Amino acid sequence: MNDQRDLEVMIASRFPIIAIESQEETRVLQLLSRIARACKLPLFTWSAADGLGGAASGAPQTLDAAQVLRYIDSAGPAGVYVLLDFHPYLGNPVNVRLLKKIALDYEKTPRTLIFVSYGVPVPPELEKLTVRFQLSLPDQDAIKVIVKEEVQAWQSTHVGAAVQGEREAFATLLRHLSGLCAEDVRRLVRQAIADDGALTMADVDRLVSRKHDLLGRDSVLSFEIDTVRFADVAGLRNLKQWLEQRRDAFVGNAAALGLDVPKGIMLLGVQGCGKSLAAKATAGAWAVPLMRLDFGALYNKFLGETERNLREALKVADAMAPCVLWMDEIEKGVATNDNNADGGESRRILGALLTWMSERTTRVFIVATSNDIEALPPELVRKGRLDEIFFVDLPGEAEREEIFRIHLNRRRQEPAVFDLPALVQASKGFSGAEVEQAVVAALYAAHAQGDTLATNHVLAELRRTRPLSVVMAERIAYLRGWAANRTVIAG
């Protein structure tokens, strides 16, 4: 994308108002200065701190927004007027009227008004007179240039030293710097090499966390740091194999491999059987960030705010790409009903989500988890929206033994000293979460008795527990029956 050419065309197209939302004010002003010189246009700049400056010789140096608009309206010559951080004044009806008057007089005196701010909420009265322009983000080639410049800058101040780097870390860093403006890329690269003159995977982890802070400060997306390896997840053999087959296409160059970029999966199943853990492990296995969409925080009591929250969250996810977007208990956010009890909000959320899923071009892999397939609209779960639907069932004997080993090791207990076959038999019908809680409760009981954890402590806790497969046996049987011929078994 050529920003200068595109903005030149926009100005030449005689749009009276242009809104530029950007944190890179210096870059925008430099761009406008080049355009003004190339097109021989007078350029005027106003801010609440400095008044009206630039080519406006003889113009009043007023800091008042209404006064500067009155000057432009009555005596301002043709040209380009840049209004910096003008958004607080757009709520004043006098200012809105003056802006509209200047715009409507464009054919008589061609004055282009350009708002430059981090956000420009254009009033409805000015929408039809306004066009928006967005600065392009640096592509991979531009990011490589910035990294090279920052490496050279560091080496120039550390004579005789050279920046060290891990090849894998460098490639991963380039992927995660996408979606950021040039100045943010420069700052993050500078931060990565400043402390030790090296680019390592530890720098990448810090960079990803900082990137989320920059992009998602006010987002309902949370950045999940605690991703796990699939080695820490028992069972799910088919799911692991499916994801491993698609890893290179997602983190590498899918087009060069002649493959489509994977879109995402739906994980259905019994509560506590590892759906959330599988979502975390997907991000960990692919070495990409994990973003969690909180549908509870998404909904807002003000009309229209919920949809805006979703759009902003998806925008952050696009900028964080490549990443895994975990939509936990998705049915709570997009379940629709016939009585329209929520004023149609769920349907609007669903529509916005489906549109994004169909049109996105970024590498955002969706992992949607659900406990209630009947609450999900059919258009969400059809093939094409997502790649596959997996059913996560209760763990079998081999999986339960593996789960016991994982949780005993995690709590510094030696699995070999336990009667694992007895524990496996006693835990029939238990979910992975219930097995873990039995180990946790047994540790408390052993501690209270002053004993070392032993098989009898865990067996006692298993006997006291009524697993979900017993408490909700009918519901789980129905879920299994539904999934039998409609999904792929994850285990």
Side-chain angles (χ1 to χ4, degrees), residues 74 78 160 201:
S74 61
M201 290 305 295

Side-chain angles (χ1 to χ4, degrees), residues 148-450:
K148 183 178 179 180
E149 290 173 351
E150 289 305 315
V151 167
Q152 291 174 342
W154 186 89
Q155 291 177 164
S156 68
T157 58
H158 297 75
V159 180
V163 173
Q164 304 298 313
E166 300 171 2
R167 185 178 297 275
E168 181 184 0
F170 180 71
T172 306
L173 179 134
L174 289 179
R175 287 203 307 271
H176 290 313
L177 285 172
S178 63
L180 293 171
C181 67
E183 283 305 309
D184 284 338
V185 170
R186 195 173 295 280
R187 292 188 188 100
L188 291 181
V189 174
R190 195 176 297 152
Q191 183 181 22
I193 62 178
D195 56 343
D196 56 1
L199 289 173
T200 65
M201 290 305 295
D203 292 317
V204 174
D205 292 340
R206 287 194 295 269
L207 181 146
V208 171
S209 179
R210 178 60 181 149
K211 179 180 179 181
H212 178 259
D213 291 340
L214 290 170
L215 294 171
R217 190 175 292 112
D218 300 318
S219 174
V220 295
L221 272 186
S222 59
F223 175 57
E224 299 288 321
I225 298 175
D226 186 23
T227 56
V228 298
R229 300 172 303 157
F230 260 125
D232 299 323
V233 182
L236 306 183
R237 180 182 66 258
N238 293 334
L239 174 61
K240 292 176 180 178
Q241 182 181 22
W242 190 95
L243 290 168
E244 182 59 31
Q245 289 174 350
R246 287 156 179 80
R247 184 184 188 279
D248 290 343
F250 186 76
V251 300
N253 189 338
L257 298 172
L259 300 170
D260 292 343
V261 177
K263 296 178 181 179
I265 55 176
M266 174 76 72
L267 298 178
L268 306 174
V270 183
Q271 292 182 0
C273 287
K275 297 188 297 297
S276 299
L277 197 62
K280 294 181 178 181
T282 300
W286 287 357
V288 297
L290 176 66
M291 314 299 297
R292 180 175 179 269
L293 180 58
D294 183 354
F295 280 104
L298 180 69
Y299 278 81
N300 192 291
K301 64 181 178 179
F302 297 109
L303 184 64
E305 282 297 294
T306 300
E307 297 99 295
R308 186 186 66 81
N309 287 342
L310 177 63
R311 287 193 297 271
E312 288 299 315
L314 296 178
K315 183 178 178 181
V316 171
D318 283 332
M320 287 294 293
C323 68
V324 171
L325 178 58
W326 172 24
M327 298 183 180
D328 194 21
E329 296 186 335
I330 191 173
E331 70 273 13
K332 294 182 178 179
V334 299
T336 57
N337 52 65
D338 295 330
N339 59 18
N340 211 32
D342 63 356
E345 192 164 43
S346 294
R347 292 191 179 278
R348 293 193 297 273
I349 287 293
L350 175 62
L353 180 59
L354 292 178
T355 299
W356 174 79
M357 289 172 68
S358 298
E359 297 179 354
R360 78 184 189 277
T361 57
T362 53
R363 292 171 182 259
V364 178
F365 186 82
I366 298 171
V367 177
T369 61
S370 176
N371 298 316
D372 187 2
I373 184 62
E374 289 186 321
L376 294 174
E379 57 266 42
L380 178 65
V381 296
R382 72 165 176 82
K383 284 291 185 75
R385 305 287 189 195
L386 298 170
D387 298 316
E388 193 57 87
I389 302 174
F390 287 93
F391 180 71
V392 183
D393 203 349
L394 290 166
E397 291 186 358
E399 287 79 15
R400 292 201 302 280
E401 180 175 341
E402 190 177 353
I403 292 170
F404 274 113
R405 290 183 184 277
I406 288 172
H407 291 299
L408 288 169
N409 279 321
R410 189 172 294 171
R411 290 160 180 85
R412 292 176 292 184
Q413 303 292 321
E414 178 52 57
V417 304
F418 291 82
D419 187 351
L420 290 179
L423 295 179
V424 168
Q425 288 301 314
S427 61
K428 184 177 181 180
F430 279 59
S431 68
E434 289 165 340
V435 168
E436 180 183 10
Q437 286 308 306
V439 173
V440 170
L443 274 167
Y444 279 115
H447 176 75
Q449 297 167 13

Side-chain angles (χ1 to χ4, degrees), residues 7-81:
L7 190 50
E8 277 184 18
V9 169
M10 200 170 281
I11 294 172
S13 299
R14 304 175 72 81
F15 286 102
I17 302 176
I18 300 174
I20 304 177
E21 294 185 345
S22 175
Q23 297 279 14
E24 297 180 279
E25 182 180 295
T26 301
R27 182 182 167 198
V28 173
L29 292 177
Q30 291 171 347
L31 177 62
L32 289 169
S33 294
R34 292 197 299 270
I35 292 173
R37 287 194 300 269
C39 300
K40 296 183 172 56
L41 290 171
L43 180 65
F44 310 88
T45 303
W46 179 89
S47 73
D50 301 319
L52 190 63
S57 57
Q61 296 303 303
T62 177
L63 306 180
D64 183 80
Q67 286 185 24
V68 77
L69 292 179
R70 287 192 177 94
Y71 163 76
I72 297 172
D73 176 44
S74 61
V80 176
Y81 292 81

